[in-house]
Amino acid sequence: MLLGGCGAEPEDSSAAALRLRFPEHADAVLSAREAFTPTPGGFRLAATEPGGAWMRAARPEVELPRDGSDAIRFRLANGGEIRVRELGAEGQGAIAERAVSYRRAGGTSFWTATDGGVEAWLLLEEGVARDGEVVAAWEVEGALLRERGAAVELVDEARGAPVLRVTAPRAYAASGRAVAVALRARGARVELSIDAGDAGDAGGEAVLVDPAWEPAGSMSADRTYHTTTQLPGGQVLLVGGRVRVGTMLTSSAELYDPESGSWSLAAPMSRERVFHVAELLSNGKVLVAGGNGYADSMSAQSAELYDPAANSWSPAAPMVTPRAYATATRLPNGEVLVASGHPDVFEETAELYDPVLDTWTLTAPMTIPRYSHTGTALKSGEVLVMGGYGWPGSADDIEIPLDSAELYDPASGTWKLAARMNSARVAHTATLLSDGKVLVAGGLGADAGEDAEVYDPVTDTWTPTGPMSIPRVLHSATLLPSGKVLIAGGIDGSSGKSTDVYDPATNLWSPGPPMTEGHQAHTGASLPNGQVLIAGGSSEYSERYTSVGAACASDADCALAVCVDGVCCDSACTEPCHTCALASALGSCVPQPKGSDLRDECAHQGCDGACDGFGACAAVPREAECAPAECTDGTHSRMPILCPADGAACPDSTRQARAVEDCAPYSCDFRDGKCKERCSSPLDCAPGFACSFGNRCIRPAPAASRGCGAANGAAVASGGGLVALLLALLAAAQRRSRGSRAGRAAAAEGA
């Protein structure tokens, strides 16, 4: 970008201007891990491939237009396309470090990549972001709009399922204050306005706001210490917890639909809650009780009920005793046992919730008060409570991790001690195995962490297992359809991505496939299709575990799939010349690339070389590319080999000489092997050439001096320097001009 002289103010659409005005937030806008790739039609961000054992919502392919007034295109995995036009955007897009910027009415749009989608950071000039007014809008084609809490969902018209979600999680005034904003759906438009409750926050200042466009398969927030409940219809309900990496409590809730792989916001609770309990009732509703909350000190005693059919909450009777860090377990008779915990002091009490009468009743006291423990319903109907923090003796002792366990008998309403664990544990997991035993793994404690043990309720004994691959705290444990147990993430001394799998048949552990994201203080849930959903844990990206994509020797190695080409595949893959071992789509049956050595492609079909590249014989059309163009270096392209006639066999590329084209003044595009025809940065030009304002590669005019002041005057005196200065002034005038076309025409005539 040319500037009007040394020390000149950067243009409003430049990365430098953004860094100058919002230095604390500029990196989030300009320094994404992935940059848009310039194309002849604009700027492209490739789709992500959800392959392997862990799958998360795939990012669609996004193509930004060359001109800001044209549509942004979101190309979905199912072949559909959604077009979004930013109202008020204008002019040619420009590379701004790793983002793309457009001028817009009252400011600048910066589009940048995220792991799951894209963010449209808006830099709004002083006086634009006035309280209650719409400051930006986007017109949507190819999807219906509906509001879900603070988000707007883009819904597939045929299936009625959300495919994209728009949120505005971050907004700042130039002074650094956070500014509240609101998103609304108005017909086919998504509108953004400054929240009416923050009239003083905007104050006429410049504002930087972050509308994010991401797949509906990502969560609405990066919550931790929430609860997860499997609903009767197969959906999963997430409630409360901390959001924004543990800095804020929330009353929000959201639903995961395993059929569409999408998240949608549910109605919020009446109170913020963290370290609460949640349990599915026999009538299909969900009981949520206790926990800590900022806004209301009564959260620890209150309870409420979620009705999935109505997507609504209603108050339940309050508990007898305030509780946080407790456990909730449904009993065979439909009542819910909530045990121990502490909001301020330890509680050795437990109480029962009767969903029919909406009442709470204290049980006999527990043997030991505890919190951050686990509770597991046994096949006998008893409840095993174990570990947690507690006092070993008098109330004057300090709290320590406990190795004790106790059993609640619903028939008598009493508690009794069970055999002690081999290790004291806090923040561990407990999983009921298929044979009725209980696996307890990890946690804080003198000997806990990487070890685990199994409780046998018949003999009241604990048996150590082999060690996990790594110590874990605040991890998740989920029973797989095979009877094995998946342990995922947690504070594990590494990235939080690692997993372990326990096999009850051998009483041993083996490392599982790593997750794509790190997760701690998250939850795991078993889905109806046998997959495992990992949600939250300092990440808004949920992911699903499946054996699809894992290495295998036979079908026995694939819990949820079949063994094809040495990997667990999502289908039997019986199509000719298809494979499940393609790295970009591991575990999915797809056509193998032409020339692949995975199979003798098409040989059994007798195609005699005339193959369409997708495993089928085809009449190759005249001038079809039998061998694509390829770059020999940064500025030379080897020409493609074309079919000489309709239906002819493709020429042998190994025996045919191929011409090489010099791409200068442009560079060679390594994506398609062809010479570029336009530029958006110097990287698109051959050495010695520069990218002009008209997106052409030209030789830069010689400059007499690189300095400022008098030396700069010498540069202006030369013909090349004068041209450069005139180009700079012309570009600046075009960017700043707000006159009408008629006015500009009149000015030209006068000149």
Side-chain angles (χ1 to χ4, degrees):
M1 177 176 291
L2 294 174
L3 301 178
C6 289
E9 286 287 325
E11 293 297 324
D12 288 342
S13 60
S14 71
L18 180 64
R19 289 196 177 279
L20 181 66
R21 304 176 74 176
F22 289 88
E24 295 183 4
H25 310 297
D27 275 344
V29 183
L30 303 170
S31 301
R33 287 193 292 182
E34 186 176 356
F36 281 89
T37 303
T39 67
F43 310 87
R44 177 178 176 271
L45 184 65
T48 56
E49 294 288 345
W54 287 97
M55 300 181 296
R56 77 175 199 196
R59 183 182 67 196
E61 178 186 333
V62 183
E63 185 171 359
L64 302 178
R66 177 66 60 182
D67 190 282
S69 62
D70 294 333
I72 301 119
R73 298 175 182 271
F74 293 86
R75 296 187 177 94
L76 309 176
N78 63 5
E81 181 177 276
I82 295 175
R83 296 167 297 283
V84 176
R85 195 180 306 274
E86 182 179 351
L87 303 183
E90 60 184 12
Q92 297 288 299
I95 297 294
E97 296 187 19
R98 300 184 72 81
V100 175
S101 68
Y102 299 94
R103 298 190 308 275
R104 58 163 290 114
T108 306
S109 295
F110 293 89
W111 287 83
T112 187
T114 67
D115 289 341
V118 291
E119 292 175 315
W121 288 88
L122 304 180
L123 174 57
L124 304 176
E125 302 296 341
E126 291 87 349
V128 173
R130 297 188 179 278
D131 178 55
E133 295 184 3
V134 173
V135 295
W138 298 265
E139 200 165 66
V140 177
E141 298 177 36
L144 301 176
L145 303 183
R146 71 180 180 199
E147 294 179 12
R148 285 282 188 176
V152 173
E153 292 179 342
L154 279 63
V155 179
D156 182 275
E157 298 181 45
R159 296 185 298 122
V163 290
L164 290 176
R165 182 174 60 233
V166 189
T167 59
R170 293 172 287 185
Y172 310 98
S175 61
R177 293 193 300 262
V179 177
V181 299
L183 286 170
R184 295 288 183 267
R186 294 285 187 268
R189 289 187 180 185
V190 178
E191 296 182 347
L192 174 75
S193 61
I194 298 298
D195 192 288
D198 292 305
D201 281 357
E205 294 182 85
V207 170
L208 184 66
V209 61
D210 172 29
W213 300 71
E214 296 188 311
S218 59
M219 299 167 60
S220 66
D222 54 351
R223 64 184 74 221
T224 56
Y225 301 107
H226 52 280
T227 56
T228 295
T229 308
Q230 183 90 49
L231 301 179
Q235 291 185 312
V236 179
L237 174 70
L238 263 66
V239 171
R242 295 186 188 273
V243 297
R244 297 183 185 175
V245 197
T247 60
M248 183 185 299
L249 303 189
T250 182
S251 61
S252 68
E254 49 193 312
L255 290 163
Y256 178 75
D257 183 350
E259 290 189 5
S260 64
S262 63
W263 289 92
S264 60
L265 287 170
M269 297 181 292
S270 63
R271 292 179 170 88
E272 300 163 337
R273 297 182 192 271
V274 68
F275 305 121
H276 52 286
V277 296
E279 186 66 23
L280 179 68
L281 303 178
S282 54
N283 60 11
K285 296 183 179 181
V286 179
L287 170 71
V288 174
N292 294 333
Y294 288 148
D296 190 343
S297 61
M298 294 300 293
S299 291
Q301 193 167 359
S302 68
E304 48 193 310
L305 297 167
Y306 177 72
D307 184 350
N311 185 33
S312 63
W313 294 87
S314 59
M319 292 187 290
V320 177
T321 303
R323 301 176 192 276
Y325 307 93
T327 55
T329 313
R330 194 174 84 184
L331 303 178
N333 65 359
E335 293 182 322
V336 176
L337 173 71
V338 177
S340 203
H342 93 112
D344 297 306
V345 297
F346 283 89
E347 284 293 336
E348 62 183 0
T349 64
E351 50 191 298
L352 293 169
Y353 177 71
D354 186 332
V356 177
L357 301 177
D358 187 31
T359 58
W360 293 89
T361 306
L362 287 173
T363 71
M366 302 174 66
T367 58
I368 298 174
R370 62 184 80 222
Y371 74 97
S372 291
H373 51 286
T374 57
T376 305
L378 304 178
K379 291 188 175 182
S380 64
E382 294 180 304
V383 177
L384 175 68
V385 171
M386 68 213 90
Y389 280 119
W391 287 302
S394 69
D396 296 330
D397 293 333
I398 60 172
E399 60 186 64
I400 61 170
L402 299 174
D403 62 4
S404 65
E406 51 190 305
L407 291 162
Y408 175 73
D409 182 1
S412 63
T414 59
W415 295 85
K416 66 178 180 181
L417 284 173
R420 290 183 177 274
M421 295 185 289
N422 293 295
S423 298
R425 302 176 189 274
V426 176
H428 51 286
T429 57
T431 308
L432 182 68
L433 302 176
S434 302
D435 60 3
K437 297 178 182 178
V438 179
L439 171 71
V440 178
L444 293 171
D447 301 316
E450 67 182 21
D451 76 336
E453 50 193 308
V454 173
Y455 178 72
D456 186 340
V458 177
T459 60
D460 189 30
T461 56
W462 293 90
T463 303
T465 72
M468 293 185 286
S469 63
I470 196 167
R472 300 180 187 277
V473 179
L474 296 175
H475 49 287
S476 64
T478 311
L479 185 68
L480 300 176
S482 63
K484 298 179 181 180
V485 178
L486 174 71
I487 302 290
I491 302 173
D492 59 8
S494 62
S495 62
K497 298 180 181 179
S498 66
T499 65
D500 279 301
V501 178
Y502 172 72
D503 187 349
T506 61
N507 198 35
L508 295 175
W509 295 87
S510 60
M515 297 182 286
T516 61
E517 296 282 334
H519 298 267
Q520 304 91 29
H522 57 283
T523 54
S526 179
L527 301 176
N529 59 8
Q531 297 179 355
V532 174
L533 174 70
I534 298 296
S538 301
S539 174
E540 68 270 30
Y541 301 115
S542 61
E543 43 193 313
R544 293 172 292 143
Y545 170 76
T546 172
S547 59
V548 171
C552 62
S554 68
D555 290 352
D557 297 329
C558 304
L560 307 173
V562 292
C563 190
V564 179
D565 293 336
V567 296
C568 295
C569 190
D570 59 5
S571 73
C573 196
T574 58
E575 297 90 339
C577 300
H578 283 53
T579 181
C580 291
L582 195 63
S584 61
L586 200 63
S588 297
C589 186
V590 296
Q592 63 177 350
K594 188 171 184 178
S596 168
D597 59 3
L598 292 173
R599 291 186 197 163
D600 186 12
E601 182 183 13
C602 299
H604 63 285
Q605 298 190 36
C607 290
D608 192 26
C611 181
D612 67 357
F614 294 95
C617 297
V620 181
R622 177 182 174 84
E623 296 189 352
E625 289 190 0
C626 296
E630 56 185 12
C631 297
T632 61
D633 56 33
T635 57
H636 291 82
S637 169
R638 183 177 284 119
M639 303 294 286
I641 297 177
L642 306 180
C643 184
D646 288 344
C650 287
D652 188 343
S653 61
T654 63
R655 298 181 182 179
Q656 182 168 330
R658 302 169 64 180
V660 175
E661 179 185 4
D662 186 351
C663 297
Y666 296 93
S667 62
C668 186
D669 192 334
F670 281 90
R671 294 170 303 160
D672 58 15
K674 299 178 181 179
C675 293
K676 297 181 180 179
E677 297 179 348
R678 294 175 64 83
C679 65
S680 58
S681 77
L683 297 177
D684 297 327
C685 300
F689 293 85
C691 186
S692 72
F693 286 106
N695 302 107
R696 301 292 181 184
C697 291
I698 60 174
R699 288 196 180 276
S705 172
R706 295 178 182 267
C708 295
N712 205 40
V716 173
S718 69
L722 180 59
V723 171
L725 179 60
L726 289 174
L727 285 174
L729 294 174
L730 177 61
Q734 289 175 339
R735 285 192 293 271
R736 294 192 178 104
S737 175
R738 293 295 182 267
S740 65
R741 292 185 179 178
R744 288 197 296 271
E749 291 176 2

